[in-house]
Amino acid sequence: MTTLTIKIDKRTKAGKEFMAMSEPFFNNVEGIEIVETNSKEIENEYYTYSPEFKEKIKRAQENIKRGEFVTLNPNDIWGSLGLK
């Protein structure tokens, strides 16, 4: 199954026309469902980072504050990491 998100502002003329056109076409069609959400729900669903990732970022920020970081040369990344 694939989930496709299309943002439609029902307050606009184009949004109203799109909904008027699509609702009858997709109504009672097996495998297609129109689900209404507000933009905050979508942002929370798609842009929430995992607790593990948040912890990694927090540790990295603490390391930077202590001066523990590596500066990379974009022209020689492997060499900057000592892997050449």
Side-chain angles (χ1 to χ4, degrees), residues 24-47:
F25 181 74
F26 294 126
N27 195 20
N28 297 323
V29 175
E30 187 176 328
I32 298 175
E33 178 182 5
I34 296 175
V35 179
E36 290 190 38
T37 60
N38 64 40
S39 59
K40 288 294 180 196
E41 290 175 8
I42 293 171
E43 286 176 15
N44 290 338
E45 181 179 345
Y46 291 105
Y47 300 112

Side-chain angles (χ1 to χ4, degrees), residues 3 7 9 14-15 19 26 35-36 38 46-47 49 51 55-57 60-61 64 66 68 72 77 81 84:
T3 301
K7 289 176 76 174
D9 188 346
M19 291 305 293
F26 294 126
V35 179
E36 290 190 38
N38 64 40
Y46 291 105
Y47 300 112
Y49 296 107
E55 186 59 36
K56 285 181 181 180
I57 297 301
Q61 289 172 335
I64 290 170
R66 288 193 301 269
E68 299 173 8
L72 298 178
I77 293 176
L81 297 171
K84 229 179 185 183

